[in-house]
Structures are given as structure tokens and as C-alpha cells.
């Protein structure tokens, strides 16, 4: 049965344990990303900013400070920092002197479904730049975006196309998408590897 509960970690394991909230569901209750991401509002307790990332993601040093600085540099109350995130070995690295970040500016169709194209990159950004597409792997904004444009929890088991539906709904409510300046969040895409 779905239930909201206190985290079962101890403070000596994680000094920020009191900041972590969990909703545990059984595999029979799991119905895809829209339901899972929609449930996050049950944990909202008046926080000003919300960030969505995929599981088995990693954060670089001072990631929270960098995200807030980037969001502030947008000078837009309806800014959403979003992109596909890179692999852990490049986390916080200035690869080839370029501070390269994936920039979602094109899409393509595969079997009649739209997909964000991962081929584009932005380099040496001084501030976030506008992007036309939204990504589910990293989304950082004021929490009002989650309340105004709620996930449709009735779209069960929708994986392909989920990002385009969410992005279209955010955009038609006035939200703008921006590529962050640095790769400060990473995701392990290796299939079959045990996650730490």
C-alpha cells in the first residue's frame, strides 16, 4: 500500500536525513513516471524550489548553490532549468576546456514518437540560455510549476512522449526552459551496473 513515511536512515549515515521524505509503493502499484512524479506533491511542505531528477543520479559539489545561481541568472520567475544530464565521470569537469552541457534544441521521430535529440551541446555559457524542449532527467524551478501544471497521474505507463506532453503543458502555462551553465548533476546510464 502506498504510504508516506519518515526516512529509515540514521543521522550518522547522512547529516541531511531530516530533509529527506519518501513515498514507498509496491511494484504492483508502480504505474510509470507520471504517477510517480505526480506523487511528489504529497511531500511538498512549502518549499520554494523543486527539483526533479532520475534515480541513480549524482550531484557535484555545491550543486544547490549553482542551481540557484543559474535560476537567478535567468531573471524569469517562470524559468525551468532542464536538460539531459551527462555521465558521472564528467561531473563538474571542464572537459577539453569547454564546460560543455547538453542543450535540447532539436527533436526527431522514431516509430511515430517524438524524442529529444541528445546531439547538441552548449559550451562556456556565462548564463543559462533558452531551450525549446523539456527533459524529465533534470528539471529545476519554483515549486509553483508543480502546483500550476500538475502531472496527469491518470497517464499510466506512458514513457515515450511523456517529456513532450509535460513540456507542452509547462510552455502553454508560460514557463520557459533554460539550459544550465554547467554539468552539475549526472546520471549513470550503464545498463546492468549495480548502482551505489
Amino acid at each position: 500500500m502506498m504510504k508516506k513515511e519518515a526516512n529509515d536512515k540514521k543521522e550518522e549515515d547522512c547529516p541531511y536525513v531530516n530533509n529527506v521524505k519518501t513515498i514507498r509503493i509496491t511494484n504492483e502499484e508502480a504505474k510509470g513516471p507520471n504517477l510517480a512524479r505526480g506523487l511528489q506533491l504529497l511531500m511538498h511542505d512549502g518549499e520554494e524550489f523543486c527539483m526533479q531528477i532520475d534515480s541513480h543520479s549524482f550531484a557535484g559539489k555545491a550543486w544547490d548553490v549553482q542551481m540557484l545561481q543559474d535560476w537567478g541568472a535567468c531573471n524569469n520567475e517562470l524559468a525551468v532549468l532542464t536538460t539531459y544530464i551527462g555521465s558521472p565521470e564528467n561531473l563538474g569537469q571542464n572537459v577539453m576546456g569547454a564546460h560543455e552541457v547538453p542543450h535540447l534544441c532539436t527533436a526527431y521521430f522514431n516509430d511515430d514518437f517524438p524524442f529529444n535529440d541528445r546531439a547538441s551541446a552548449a559550451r562556456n555559457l556565462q548564463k543559462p540560455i533558452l531551450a525549446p524542449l523539456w527533459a524529465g532527467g533534470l528539471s529545476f524551478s519554483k515549486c509553483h510549476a508543480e502546483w500550476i501544471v500538475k502531472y496527469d497521474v491518470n497517464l499510466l505507463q506512458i514513457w515515450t512522449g511523456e517529456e513532450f506532453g509535460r513540456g507542452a503543458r509547462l510552455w502553454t502555462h508560460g514557463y520557459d526552459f533554460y539550459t544550465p551553465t554547467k554539468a552539475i548533476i549526472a546520471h549513470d546510464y550503464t545498463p546492468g551496473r549495480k548502482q551505489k
Side-chain angles (χ1 to χ4, degrees):
M1 171 174 207
M2 217 175 289
K3 62 180 184 173
K4 185 176 167 183
E5 60 184 46
N7 196 294
D8 55 3
K9 298 240 181 230
K10 296 183 174 82
E11 193 163 338
E12 58 267 15
D13 297 334
C14 174
Y16 307 105
V17 68
N18 293 329
N19 296 339
V20 177
K21 299 172 196 162
T22 304
I23 295 177
R24 297 203 188 275
I25 62 174
T26 66
N27 61 329
E28 290 85 11
E29 294 170 312
K31 304 293 183 199
N34 286 291
L35 175 62
R37 292 173 177 166
L39 290 173
Q40 67 189 346
L41 284 180
L42 297 176
M43 297 186 286
H44 187 260
D45 195 22
E47 293 85 3
E48 184 177 8
F49 288 92
C50 288
M51 183 169 79
Q52 170 185 302
I53 57 175
D54 285 338
S55 60
H56 41 91
S57 291
F58 305 83
K61 290 183 180 182
W63 67 268
D64 50 347
V65 173
Q66 183 67 49
M67 291 297 264
L68 288 168
Q69 287 173 343
D70 275 2
W71 186 88
C74 295
N75 197 28
N76 180 350
E77 177 69 18
L78 302 180
V80 179
L81 295 172
T82 185
T83 189
Y84 283 148
I85 53 180
S87 57
E89 59 270 10
N90 293 329
L91 187 61
Q93 300 297 315
N94 185 357
V95 178
M96 297 178 65
H99 282 296
E100 187 173 284
V101 181
H103 178 62
L104 302 179
C105 60
T106 59
Y108 65 95
F109 283 89
N110 186 4
D111 293 327
D112 296 327
F113 287 102
F115 289 87
N116 290 334
D117 190 351
R118 298 172 183 250
S120 300
R123 294 176 178 88
N124 297 319
L125 296 178
Q126 300 304 306
K127 66 179 196 174
I129 58 173
L130 280 168
L133 302 168
W134 179 85
L138 172 62
S139 181
F140 180 88
S141 65
K142 287 277 188 98
C143 290
H144 53 63
E146 303 304 322
W147 287 101
I148 293 171
V149 188
K150 294 179 179 165
Y151 276 92
D152 186 345
V153 297
N154 296 307
L155 290 175
L156 304 179
Q157 303 298 8
I158 301 294
W159 296 88
T160 303
E162 172 250 343
E163 291 176 316
F164 286 86
R166 176 78 173 150
R169 292 178 63 236
L170 284 164
W171 189 77
T172 57
H173 280 81
Y175 289 90
D176 293 311
F177 311 131
Y178 293 84
T179 297
T181 59
K182 293 183 179 69
I184 51 177
I185 304 291
H187 176 83
D188 190 344
Y189 293 95
T190 308
R193 182 191 290 175
K194 286 189 174 183
Q195 305 300 326
K196 294 181 182 181

